[in-house]
Amino acid sequence: MSAHCCDQQTSNSVQKQWTITEINALFALPFNDLIFQSHQIHRLNFNANEVQLSTLLNIKTGSCPENCSYCPQSAHYNTGLKKEPLMSLESVLTAAKRAKSAGASRFCMGAAWRSPRDNDLDKVIEMVQAIKAEGLETCVTLGMLTPDQAQKLKKAGLDYYNHNIDTSKKYYQNIITTRNFQDRIDTIEAVREAGINVCCGGIIGMGEGVEDRASMLMTLANMKEPPESVPINMLVKVKGTPLETNECVDPFDFIRTIAVARIVMPKARVRLSAGRMEMSEEMQALCHFAGANSIFYGETLLVTENPIPETDTAFFAKLGLVGV
Ligand code: SAM
Ligand code: DTB
Ligand code: SF4
């Protein structure tokens, strides 16, 4: 196969490089044409009735020095959150065992850090090892990492590292000023370089335009290796954060974003992430039809509410979806 000028040669395949014009054109398609296309791509790459289940646990809560405008855990805003130090290995393991018996296949631990200190990382490494020994996949999201820290996590057996780009490069400074877009990319590259699977996505509903959503997905899809896991969050509007009074996202615009993510990253697990408390069953069903094939499963996300497992189980039964 000959490589087109916009294509990037990888070791054994030619990965398409998407242009912003192409991605904008996908967003502009009539809704039915877009989700028909994304559903076909979904079926070519996955069993369309299987949804991967990841359970979250916040292992260190609040007083984060970063000023992410959406985040209840930032020390810059008064959200009434009680801060908590790093949890003990024992209580994390209890939560992981509970997640496994409820049906989760992946356990994701989040910490409200700008970046982990080396002695904290050692404690997280013990958690990763213990959770893996229970037969669960592991994911952590700890903020920025050095290449050396990423290597240590890989050595511990970590399966995924979550680090979101959140929005477009252009819109980033409207949301966070304590770090920049390139800082995020640097950590993602360190994670990739270490051989850990990348979990990277963003948030819809922060006041960004369609062109920012297109640009965010282009950045993800055009990575040397696109992320294996792509969480698409709908903003949870938390009281006390600068985004608490933001306008709600139109459900069809959210579903369109899922569909475009599926088209431009056909092999990724696209996760219908935060915001499901505000979504109807019909909206979630359309997200799954459009190509979402993973959810956060369990009654809490990091600090805010998520549907209880019984609700998701009943919903899956109605649609014949199977949690994996
Ligand atoms: N401190 C680490 C970091 O920023 O990478 C890890 C935790 S952080 C809370 C993980 C991700 O959760 C953020 O990048 C953001 O995409 C998502 N998130 C946080 N607050 C949210 C909210 N209110 N609504 C939707 N997504 C949110
Ligand atoms: C991701 O993309 N979404 C999750 C996870 N990665 C860490 C977090 C959502 C947080 C929603 C608000 C909260 O509960 O703090
Ligand atoms: Fe801190 Fe992460 Fe929240 Fe930003 S999103 S304030 S880095 S916990």
Side-chain angles (χ1 to χ4, degrees):
M1 197 190 291
S2 71
H4 182 263
C5 60
C6 299
D7 292 336
Q8 193 175 311
Q9 188 78 47
T10 56
S11 54
N12 51 12
S13 66
V14 175
Q15 190 200 307
K16 176 171 170 53
Q17 291 291 286
W18 288 87
T19 66
I20 196 66
T21 313
E22 288 171 325
I23 300 186
N24 281 332
L26 290 173
F27 272 100
L29 282 173
F31 185 77
N32 283 342
D33 292 348
L34 175 61
I35 64 167
F36 178 64
Q37 188 179 326
S38 67
H39 185 73
Q40 283 178 307
I41 291 173
H42 189 42
R43 269 182 188 273
L44 283 175
N45 291 284
F46 289 98
N47 176 333
N49 299 312
E50 281 183 0
V51 178
Q52 187 274 329
L53 306 178
S54 286
T55 294
L56 280 168
L57 178 69
N58 207 29
I59 57 172
K60 186 266 168 185
T61 304
S63 63
C64 181
E66 303 273 32
N67 70 353
C68 314
S69 320
Y70 48 76
C71 187
Q73 303 199 69
S74 166
H76 296 255
Y77 319 122
N78 185 5
T79 61
L81 187 69
K82 191 168 165 278
K83 58 180 184 191
E84 303 279 356
L86 186 61
M87 283 173 70
S88 69
L89 172 61
E90 196 195 354
S91 35
V92 170
L93 198 52
T94 304
K97 286 179 182 167
R98 190 169 157 249
K100 188 173 183 203
S101 53
S105 56
R106 192 179 304 167
F107 195 66
C108 312
M109 294 175 278
W113 289 322
R114 173 174 165 80
S115 49
R117 292 183 310 201
D118 283 338
N119 64 328
D120 285 329
L121 192 74
D122 291 342
K123 292 180 190 153
V124 173
I125 281 174
E126 281 181 31
M127 294 172 188
V128 167
Q129 288 166 335
I131 292 161
K132 269 196 83 78
E134 293 298 322
L136 279 159
E137 285 185 327
T138 50
C139 177
V140 295
T141 178
L142 315 171
M144 293 184 270
L145 293 183
T146 62
D148 187 49
Q149 290 178 320
Q151 298 285 352
K152 276 191 181 162
L153 285 166
K154 173 66 186 175
K155 231 173 118 198
L158 180 71
D159 298 294
Y160 290 80
Y161 194 84
N162 168 246
H163 202 66
N164 292 342
I165 57 170
D166 282 334
T167 189
S168 67
K169 184 174 182 187
K170 189 162 160 237
Y171 200 64
Y172 203 75
Q173 291 305 301
N174 294 71
I175 301 299
I176 301 147
T177 58
T178 50
R179 57 169 188 259
N180 59 42
F181 195 77
Q182 189 56 44
D183 292 328
R184 293 307 264 189
I185 301 289
D186 290 347
T187 291
I188 294 159
E189 283 178 1
V191 168
R192 179 58 84 203
E193 203 56 36
I196 301 168
N197 291 309
V198 172
C199 172
C200 183
I203 307 178
I204 307 303
M206 300 193 292
E208 76 286 346
V210 179
E211 63 290 353
D212 294 303
R213 294 171 194 159
S215 168
M216 174 180 91
L217 294 179
M218 186 177 76
T219 299
L220 296 172
N222 287 349
M223 284 178 179
K224 224 185 293 164
E225 283 178 81
E228 282 74 17
S229 193
V230 179
I232 305 291
N233 297 277
M234 186 173 84
L235 176 71
V236 178
K237 295 188 263 179
V238 179
K239 203 156 177 281
T241 62
L243 302 185
E244 73 167 286
T245 56
N246 261 38
E247 240 178 70
C248 289
V249 185
D250 183 298
F252 296 113
D253 290 341
F254 186 86
I255 299 159
R256 276 195 168 86
T257 309
I258 297 270
V260 176
R262 167 53 65 225
I263 294 168
V264 301
M265 289 171 280
K267 305 269 183 218
R269 281 270 168 199
V270 176
R271 183 172 308 121
L272 176 53
S273 302
R276 291 198 298 117
M277 291 302 286
E278 303 298 322
M279 295 180 195
S280 68
E281 288 191 336
E282 292 84 350
M283 177 176 173
Q284 293 183 58
L286 273 174
C287 287
H288 290 301
F289 184 80
N293 60 354
S294 172
I295 59 166
F296 284 126
Y297 175 68
E299 63 275 17
T300 20
L301 290 164
L302 292 174
V303 301
T304 66
E305 280 181 41
N306 196 42
I308 58 171
E310 291 75 8
T311 302
D312 283 332
T313 306
F315 169 63
F316 276 26
K318 279 191 207 177
L319 299 188
L321 291 174
V322 182
V324 294

